[in-house]
Amino acid sequence: MSGIIYYPFISLPPKAWTYRQLFYYDEISTIVPMEYFDDPALYPSHMKELIREGLVIPQNFSGDYDIQNQLYAQFVRYLRNNDLTKRQAAFRGEHYMNVSAHAMYATKFKPHESVLSSQIYESKFGPAILHELQELGLARHENHRIYYVEKRTAFELMQFLTSLIATRIDAHPVTDKLPLFAINSQDDIIVRNRNEKRDIVLKRIMPLPQDIDLVRLMKFKDRHNELLKRFRTEIESIVLNDAIAMDTKLFDTAIDRIKQQRDEITRRMEECNYRNIFKYSIHGMIPFAAAALEGDFNRNVLVTGSLSLLSAIASAISNLTPNRIDNTSGMKYLALANRTFRNFRE
């Protein structure tokens, strides 16, 4: 799959993890309440910019009755057969009160609601599922649009909804933090390990600065989309190969090989660029020199103008020539990103 849909929160985190996903995937979506469509000022500033530049796509499937009906039927059945009593006790804060009562000199207390629960917008779902969670003792209706839902249940509810929507938009559900309670099977362990492996690979071959020009990033991805697909295929061949395990020499060797390819292609791009700038600079000076010798123009203005023009030509050549080197592998995408954003060298 070439796209991802993020969960459990509305906004992607404002950190390098998000930028790496932007470089790696064609599309990134996130599930957004209807209120955010009506009032974009509700987004934090970094999300407003990501959405404005078309790098993140807001999604809302609260009106898709097939998804909402399946969510209600299957998720409620799951809850009734998976630690419902423990979840109810956790939402009441009994676990925390019991722990504190057994601690020396401690007194019973009930922690703040933010420790026990997560806020969820009703307009991500529709009223039926959240009303049922309230009836089950796992949620509290705060106001006309917000519910407080027991923490584990809230995460799993968003994971469930995200998985259903992902099938509709042909995307892969992704989170930057997978809590321990979400690891329930061997398949969950495999998914977690592969996601962690992918993140480590991208982090080591693609170190990023604090700020990236998002307009430039969008144009870069549009221009090099075919190379991005090849790049992703090469990285996934490492991620999905269980023989290349993390924290092994084989894994380090695979990453070193990628870096070497990246740096070699970058070096060839720069050599090609220097040759072309030199060539066009020499030929570009001839007409100006001839005109100057004829005495038709002021020599100072002529020379100054020619140097400014050469500078502009050099800048244009710098942007064009990397595409002309004889390399169509996925690593060319990484090298182009390295060269364009000037930040991938450790």
Side-chain angles (χ1 to χ4, degrees):
M1 292 182 180
S2 61
I4 60 172
I5 179 166
Y6 175 75
Y7 74 99
F9 304 113
I10 296 167
S11 297
L12 280 79
K15 58 184 182 181
W17 181 88
T18 294
Y19 292 128
R20 283 193 290 274
Q21 312 314 305
L22 292 171
F23 270 106
Y24 192 67
Y25 291 103
D26 290 346
E27 290 184 353
I28 298 180
S29 298
T30 184
I31 304 171
V32 173
M34 293 304 300
E35 290 87 344
Y36 282 63
F37 289 93
D38 299 331
D39 184 9
L42 292 170
Y43 290 110
S45 58
H46 77 283
M47 271 296 288
K48 280 189 279 192
E49 189 177 4
L50 288 171
I51 291 171
R52 183 174 63 247
E53 300 304 335
L55 291 164
V56 172
I57 303 170
Q59 305 278 1
N60 186 288
F61 279 71
S62 58
D64 188 315
Y65 295 110
D66 286 341
I67 284 181
Q68 297 304 326
N69 289 339
Q70 286 300 316
L71 177 68
Y72 180 89
Q74 300 300 331
F75 190 68
V76 170
R77 182 193 304 175
Y78 163 75
L79 289 176
R80 293 185 186 280
N81 291 282
N82 283 275
D83 300 326
L84 179 58
T85 303
K86 289 182 180 179
R87 292 171 191 261
Q88 292 166 335
F91 189 53
R92 293 192 298 267
E94 293 178 7
H95 169 72
Y96 292 92
M97 291 189 286
N98 289 338
V99 169
S100 66
H102 285 88
M104 188 175 293
Y105 307 120
T107 57
K108 285 192 176 184
F109 75 96
K110 182 176 181 179
H112 190 269
E113 196 159 30
S114 62
V115 176
L116 306 173
S117 61
S118 299
Q119 285 189 19
I120 285 187
Y121 277 82
E122 180 179 325
S123 63
K124 281 186 176 182
F125 305 89
I129 182 66
L130 293 174
H131 177 74
E132 184 65 23
L133 293 183
Q134 184 170 285
E135 292 296 308
L136 290 172
L138 298 175
R140 180 178 67 79
H141 197 186
E142 171 68 8
N143 54 45
H144 69 285
R145 61 182 186 178
I146 299 262
Y147 277 79
Y148 281 98
V149 180
E150 187 271 323
K151 233 173 179 55
R152 176 182 174 183
T153 304
F155 182 90
E156 292 179 340
L157 179 63
M158 282 307 306
Q159 187 179 27
F160 205 119
L161 175 65
T162 304
S163 299
L164 293 176
I165 294 176
T167 62
R168 285 291 175 86
I169 64 174
D170 192 27
H172 181 65
V174 167
T175 183
D176 58 323
K177 292 181 180 178
L178 192 64
L180 289 177
F181 60 68
I183 309 297
N184 298 311
S185 67
Q186 185 61 34
D187 288 342
D188 291 335
I189 294 173
I190 292 172
V191 170
R192 182 196 62 182
N193 289 345
R194 286 178 176 173
N195 287 340
E196 183 182 355
K197 189 177 180 182
R198 184 182 298 107
D199 287 343
I200 290 174
V201 171
L202 293 178
K203 188 173 183 177
R204 287 176 60 176
I205 67 174
M206 196 181 284
L208 296 171
Q210 291 295 320
D211 297 308
I212 288 180
D213 185 333
L214 296 181
V215 175
R216 196 177 187 190
L217 173 56
M218 186 64 181
K219 291 179 179 177
F220 177 84
K221 287 179 66 176
D222 286 343
R223 184 178 182 184
H224 303 298
N225 186 257
E226 286 303 315
L227 288 175
L228 169 56
K229 292 176 183 176
R230 294 173 200 155
F231 171 66
R232 193 164 50 237
T233 298
E234 293 194 35
I235 299 302
E236 290 303 304
S237 70
I238 297 174
V239 172
L240 300 178
N241 187 345
D242 294 333
I244 307 177
M246 292 180 289
D247 299 322
T248 64
K249 186 174 181 180
L250 190 59
F251 182 68
D252 291 337
T253 300
I255 290 180
D256 289 341
R257 178 181 57 80
I258 293 173
K259 289 181 179 180
Q260 289 168 3
Q261 289 179 307
R262 176 197 69 189
D263 294 342
E264 173 62 19
I265 297 171
T266 302
R267 182 187 62 78
R268 288 171 55 200
M269 287 177 183
E270 291 175 348
E271 287 179 354
C272 179
N273 182 49
Y274 295 148
R275 287 196 301 271
N276 279 280
I277 289 175
F278 179 75
K279 177 177 69 176
Y280 285 103
S281 296
I282 294 298
H283 290 291
M285 287 296 292
I286 292 174
F288 292 104
L293 289 173
E294 291 175 3
D296 294 331
F297 302 95
N298 179 289
R299 285 173 169 76
N300 291 330
V301 173
L302 177 64
V303 172
T304 302
S306 68
L307 290 177
S308 297
L309 179 61
L310 286 174
S311 176
I313 292 172
S315 178
I317 291 171
S318 176
N319 290 327
L320 287 177
T321 51
N323 291 328
R324 301 187 182 184
I325 69 164
D326 185 22
N327 190 299
T328 58
S329 73
M331 291 305 111
K332 185 179 177 183
Y333 176 81
L334 183 61
L336 282 166
N338 177 21
R339 193 166 186 279
T340 301
F341 296 91
R342 298 291 183 185
N343 53 302
F344 288 7
R345 287 181 182 148
E346 296 79 4

